[in-house]
Amino acid sequence: MSVRVRIAPSPTGNLHIGTARTAIFNWLFARRHGGKFILRIEDTDVERSRVEYTENIQSGLTWLGINWDEGPFFQSQRLDLYRAAIQKLLAQGLAYRCYCTPEELEQMRDGQKASNQAPRYDNRHRNLTREQQEAFAAAGRQPVIRLKIDELREIVWQDLVRGEVTWKGSDLGGDMVIARTPEKEGEEFGQPLYNLAVVVDDLDMAITHVIRGEDHIANTAKQILLYEGLGAKIPEFAHTPLILNQAGRKLSKRDGVTSIDDFKQMGFVPEAMANYMALLGWTQPDSTQEIFSLAEAAANFSLERVNKAGAKFDISKLDWINSQYLHQMPAEKLVDLLIPYWEEAGYHSDDRLWLIQLTQLIAPSLTRLQDAGPESRLLFGESVTYSEEARDLLKQEGVQEMMQGVREAIAAWPNLTETEAKKIIDQITKTQKVKKGLVMRSLRAGLMGELHGPDLIQSWLLLNQKGLDLIRLQQALTL
RNA sequence: GCCCCCAUCGUCUAGUGGCCUAGGACACAUCCCUUUCACGGAUGCGACGGGGAUUCGACUUCCCCUGGGGGUACCA
């Protein structure tokens, strides 16, 4: 049977990094086995679901390079399916109506907690007579639907990353709610609940492997019971470790930057993001290989090599991976990614060739795309702000003569090349009888206003193309 | 509280009984390269949570403890 997996996010927020990583694992698994990867939007929580989040999830996945073969499917459009399943369960006597009010349930749990017992539903309405049910209904109460859970049952499954996992029926918290109270008059029951909808959908979509975060591990036991109730074949399960924050807790929205959007805006490229997320909890058969594309990962992916323990999110490693991608990216491609950041910083040029050269110059010093602004600052604009150290150097004995000499030499060469630039520096070195290093440093100070920065010759050539070198040296001479 | 899961350098990890004097990567430090800053290269720093058991031999198997995490909804 061919592999079918899915990612089933709920649109209650922007695409979260944890969801994205689960999506990547699923996608990798599907690609590895020549299967299908399906996108399903779990929007049964009408209160919290929003369309813009649905869009954000899709654009985020696409940005990362995760494409889906089927979907997106929306649970909100599949309510009939769930309704039928609930009815079937009801008809078979596997589920029943519970008329408890939220207040009653709360009171019950409080009592349990007070006597140090695990809070759970005590199945009090499991065996209500027809008369009792009618009495509740007559009193205006609306029922939820609960699935009967056999307290004596042992639920066991072979988890593809964790091995055998066992759960007792009695630890499931009592008969579980599978449908809310009806919202409209005359309805038999209301919206289906997560566990029910998931099972019905996974069944309907013929999902073979459920790969999801470890936080779903307790749901698996409940869902297995649902599969059985519906007389269906149970899929394979694989529970992946969670992505943790610095404190070692499950990464949540409250931890600040956790949505894919955030990382995109911070200047991370999708290839690096995907690479890092895949690396977080999974290793190549050759574990020393850390920089790889999704396609390369797909060729080698296996759940066996997924780690069991949670992994702390480490931004500095992400930074390093991102820098690797930025450094090896062709300038012709990188320049397009950089332009928006230059524009944002207020640096503009229509000269694409010049921008490509600039890109080549600063690429090695980029960690994130947003570094392009600060790293290029000295190359844009006519006037220069001289740093303290640069001023001091420029005021040193003989330095003004050097600058003057360079100015004159520049004027003699209409289109400066690297060879010529070097020749000019050598010439000044000779005529002024100083060390070459001093000429270089002084020239940097005069041209850039600072003592540190990208390669001097290349920077100079870029300025020269715009005639900025003459203007700046002029300014340096007035200090 | 109860249930489940997990446990190797600060972080991500390799390791499936002897190949381990525990390997790699990030971070950090030093050095080299270099006009500077980066990049790149080299070196260093640095871990098997504790206790039992099995075994000729445990990072690797089992048990207990400890620690951490997840779950415990008419959320997903």
Side-chain angles (χ1 to χ4, degrees), chain A residues 365-435:
Chain A
S365 46
L366 297 181
T367 295
R368 304 179 188 176
L369 293 173
Q370 61 182 14
D371 296 335
E375 290 296 336
S376 316
R377 180 175 56 89
L378 305 177
L379 280 309
F380 286 96
E382 294 193 350
S383 75
V384 184
T385 311
Y386 292 92
S387 73
E388 191 84 11
E389 332 173 85
R391 278 172 191 280
D392 290 348
L393 180 55
L394 289 168
K395 283 174 186 163
Q396 265 184 38
E397 180 90 35
V399 170
Q400 293 284 310
E401 285 71 25
M402 293 181 208
M403 296 302 101
Q404 186 58 43
V406 175
R407 261 194 76 211
E408 284 160 11
I410 291 170
W413 295 96
N415 282 307
L416 211 58
T417 65
E418 185 174 336
T419 322
E420 290 153 6
K422 283 179 175 167
K423 215 175 278 177
I424 292 173
I425 290 171
D426 286 339
Q427 202 180 350
I428 301 289
T429 304
K430 211 178 285 174
T431 56
Q432 301 286 320
K433 297 196 177 72
V434 288
K435 286 195 174 167

Side-chain angles (χ1 to χ4, degrees), chain A residues 96-381:
Chain A
Y96 62 93
R97 294 179 174 74
C98 165
Y99 291 87
C100 292
T101 64
E103 294 72 31
E104 280 172 349
L105 294 173
E106 200 177 331
Q107 201 176 11
M108 177 190 68
R109 289 195 198 98
D110 287 346
Q112 289 160 339
K113 280 183 204 161
S115 58
N116 241 346
Q117 288 174 292
R120 51 175 290 115
Y121 175 61
D122 60 9
N123 304 349
R124 57 177 66 168
H125 284 188
R126 190 194 272 197
N127 297 308
L128 250 34
T129 62
R130 181 161 293 274
E131 289 71 31
Q132 287 172 308
Q133 291 188 339
E134 279 164 7
F136 278 126
R141 290 206 188 187
Q142 299 275 50
V144 298
I145 308 299
R146 287 183 185 269
L147 180 81
K148 291 181 186 171
I149 292 179
D150 181 359
E151 303 284 307
L152 302 175
R153 234 336 262 293
E154 275 238 318
I155 301 132
V156 183
W157 76 91
Q158 286 297 327
D159 196 284
L160 263 26
V161 347
R162 266 148 232 285
E164 187 174 288
V165 179
T166 311
W167 221 283
K168 289 199 231 16
S170 54
D171 289 327
L172 259 21
D175 293 342
M176 62 183 285
V177 181
I178 55 175
R180 295 177 169 90
T181 49
E183 280 142 32
K184 285 179 232 144
E185 199 73 30
E187 276 180 339
E188 216 180 334
F189 43 78
Q191 292 273 329
L193 247 27
Y194 171 72
N195 280 313
L196 186 277
V198 166
V199 169
V200 171
D201 279 335
D202 285 343
L203 232 36
D204 183 60
M205 295 171 189
I207 299 301
T208 57
H209 302 257
V210 175
I211 304 168
R212 71 208 334 181
E214 192 192 346
D215 48 348
H216 282 287
I217 206 159
N219 286 324
T220 300
K222 294 179 182 174
Q223 291 175 15
I224 286 174
L225 260 20
L226 246 5
Y227 279 104
E228 290 175 352
L230 293 168
K233 185 172 181 295
I234 300 166
E236 302 285 339
F237 292 99
H239 290 92
T240 67
L242 264 22
I243 298 177
L244 277 18
N245 63 20
Q246 280 313 296
R249 302 292 189 83
K250 177 166 84 164
L251 199 66
S252 82
K253 300 112 231 158
R254 288 182 299 284
D255 287 308
V257 281
T258 56
S259 80
I260 292 301
D261 252 16
D262 293 336
F263 289 99
K264 182 180 177 183
Q265 258 157 33
M266 280 193 281
F268 292 102
V269 295
E271 296 85 353
M273 280 308 292
N275 190 158
Y276 179 63
M277 284 188 279
L279 206 53
L280 218 51
W282 179 73
T283 40
Q284 291 266 14
D286 168 11
S287 69
T288 62
Q289 200 193 338
E290 298 198 310
I291 302 295
F292 50 77
S293 66
L294 282 179
E296 287 166 330
N300 295 325
F301 189 78
S302 74
L303 290 169
E304 271 174 40
R305 292 192 70 83
V306 171
N307 238 60
K308 293 185 186 71
K312 281 187 189 169
F313 190 87
D314 181 12
I315 193 93
S316 71
K317 182 95 177 205
L318 208 213
D319 269 333
W320 176 75
I321 290 178
N322 202 57
S323 74
Q324 296 300 302
Y325 279 89
L326 259 30
H327 297 168
Q328 55 87 34
M329 195 180 288
E332 289 74 17
K333 186 184 171 197
L334 183 55
V335 70
D336 291 325
L337 302 180
L338 261 25
I339 287 171
Y341 289 89
W342 281 321
E343 294 291 334
E344 198 187 326
Y347 305 141
H348 180 77
S349 171
D350 289 321
D351 189 345
R352 187 179 168 83
L353 228 56
W354 187 84
L355 287 176
I356 288 175
Q357 293 174 73
L358 172 60
T359 300
Q360 283 165 335
L361 179 64
I362 65 166
S365 46
L366 297 181
T367 295
R368 304 179 188 176
L369 293 173
Q370 61 182 14
D371 296 335
E375 290 296 336
S376 316
R377 180 175 56 89
L378 305 177
L379 280 309
F380 286 96

